[in-house]
Amino acid sequence: MGQCGITSSKTVLVFLNLIFWAAAGILCYVGAYVFITYDDYDHFFEDVYTLIPAVTIIAVGALLFIIGLIGCCATVRESYCGLTTFVVILLLVFMTEVAVVVLGYVYRAKVENEVNISIKKVYDEYNGTNSNAQSRAIDYIQRQLQCCGIHNYSDWQNTHWYEESKNNSVPISCCRTNIGSSCTGSLTHPEDLYQEGCEALVVKKLKEIMMYVIWTALTFAVIQMLGMLCACVVLCRRSRDPAYELLITGGTYA
C-alpha cells in the first residue's frame, strides 16, 4: 500500500512538473499582455508601481520553468537533496504569488483614483496632432473603447482644443464606427457620436487586466501547493521507511 502511495505521488509530481512548464509560458504571456495593454493606457495613471504585479508574475514564470526542470530530475532520480530544493523553491514561489494577489487587489483599488486624477489633465493636453502623445492616447481609447469625453461627449466643450478649434465639434475618434466617413464630429449631430464617457471604461479595463493577474496567480498557487504536497509525501516515505530506501539504492538487509 505504501509503495502504491509513493508511486502515485511520483506520477502526480511528474505530471505537475509538466504543468509547471506550461504555466511558465502562460505566466510570462499574462505578464507581457499586462505590460503591452498598460502601455496603451499609461497616460491615465501616474503610479508606476501599478506594474509591480506584472513584473513579479513574469519573474515567477521564468522561475517556474527552472522549477519544472529541477522537479522532473529530482522525482525521476528520487534525489532527497533535489526534492528538498524543489519544495523550498516552490514554497518561495508560492509566497511570491500570494504577494502578487495581495498587490493586485491593492493596486486594483487604486486604479479608479489614479484615472480620476490623470484623465482630465490628459484631455486638457489634447491638440489633435499625431505627434502629441496625449492626442494619440485619447484617440486610441475613444476608438478602442467606443467612448467620447470623460463622462460624455459634452466634456470636450471644456477643453483647450475645443476653445481653440472653434468649430463646435469633437475629435473624429468620437464618431460611431457604423456611421462611416459622413461623421465630422459635429455637436449638431450628437447621434453620430459615442454617448458613453471614457473614464469609467478605462477604469473597468484596467481593473479587468489586474483581475487576470490575480486569478492567474491564484490558480497556479493552488497547483504549486499540490506539487509541494506530493514532494513531501515522497520525502517523508523515504525518511521513515528503511526498506524503501534500500529498494531505491539497491541494498539488502544484513
Side-chain angles (χ1 to χ4, degrees):
M1 178 66 75
Q3 181 64 29
C4 180
I6 196 87
T7 303
S8 299
S9 296
K10 285 173 60 180
T11 303
V12 172
L13 195 52
V14 170
F15 178 69
L16 286 174
N17 283 308
L18 297 177
I19 292 179
F20 289 158
W21 280 336
I26 294 172
L27 288 173
C28 289
Y29 170 80
V30 170
Y33 169 76
V34 172
F35 262 111
I36 293 170
T37 307
Y38 264 68
D39 186 56
D40 296 327
Y41 297 89
D42 63 352
H43 289 89
F44 302 100
F45 63 93
E46 298 177 350
D47 190 352
V48 295
Y49 297 109
T50 307
L51 289 174
I52 287 179
V55 174
T56 307
I57 209 169
I58 290 175
V60 168
L63 191 56
L64 269 182
F65 182 81
I66 300 173
I67 291 173
L69 184 62
I70 293 174
C72 274
C73 294
T75 303
V76 172
R77 295 169 61 88
E78 299 194 8
S79 166
Y80 183 86
C81 180
L83 285 172
T84 303
T85 303
F86 175 72
V87 172
V88 170
I89 297 176
L90 265 188
L91 180 61
L92 293 174
V93 172
F94 174 79
M95 293 170 63
T96 303
E97 289 188 330
V98 171
V100 167
V101 172
V102 173
L103 287 173
Y105 273 108
V106 169
Y107 289 119
R108 187 174 183 271
K110 293 175 64 177
V111 161
E112 186 168 358
N113 186 53
E114 284 284 325
V115 173
N116 290 343
I117 292 172
S118 304
I119 195 166
K120 189 177 187 307
K121 182 170 67 174
V122 178
Y123 269 83
D124 283 339
E125 294 175 358
Y126 182 92
N127 64 14
T129 62
N130 197 48
S131 59
N132 179 261
Q134 287 77 10
S135 298
R136 291 196 306 272
I138 289 173
D139 286 335
Y140 173 82
I141 66 160
Q142 291 193 154
R143 290 192 179 98
Q144 190 75 13
L145 301 180
Q146 299 185 349
C147 57
C148 184
I150 299 174
H151 302 103
N152 55 59
Y153 61 83
S154 64
D155 292 326
W156 278 105
Q157 294 175 302
N158 302 317
T159 63
H160 297 307
W161 176 83
Y162 181 86
E163 294 172 357
E164 292 173 2
S165 62
K166 298 178 180 179
N167 58 5
N168 194 37
S169 67
V170 297
I172 300 297
S173 56
C174 280
C175 292
R176 294 176 179 271
T177 53
N178 60 340
I179 300 300
S181 58
S182 62
C183 177
T184 61
S186 175
L187 289 175
T188 58
H189 298 285
E191 67 278 3
D192 293 346
L193 310 175
Y194 294 124
Q195 303 298 304
E196 194 169 359
C198 294
E199 182 180 43
L201 294 179
V202 169
V203 170
K204 180 182 177 182
K205 181 69 174 180
L206 294 177
K207 285 186 174 182
E208 284 177 355
I209 294 169
M210 197 59 69
M211 282 305 298
Y212 293 153
V213 174
I214 291 170
W215 281 110
T216 302
L218 277 175
T219 301
F220 290 114
V222 171
I223 295 174
Q224 285 160 28
M225 285 184 65
L226 185 57
M228 286 188 287
L229 178 63
C230 291
C232 287
V233 168
V234 176
L235 287 170
C236 290
R237 180 65 179 173
R238 287 200 60 176
S239 62
R240 293 181 181 179
D241 193 342
Y244 178 75
E245 181 69 26
L246 288 171
L247 177 64
I248 296 302
T249 58
T252 58
Y253 285 114

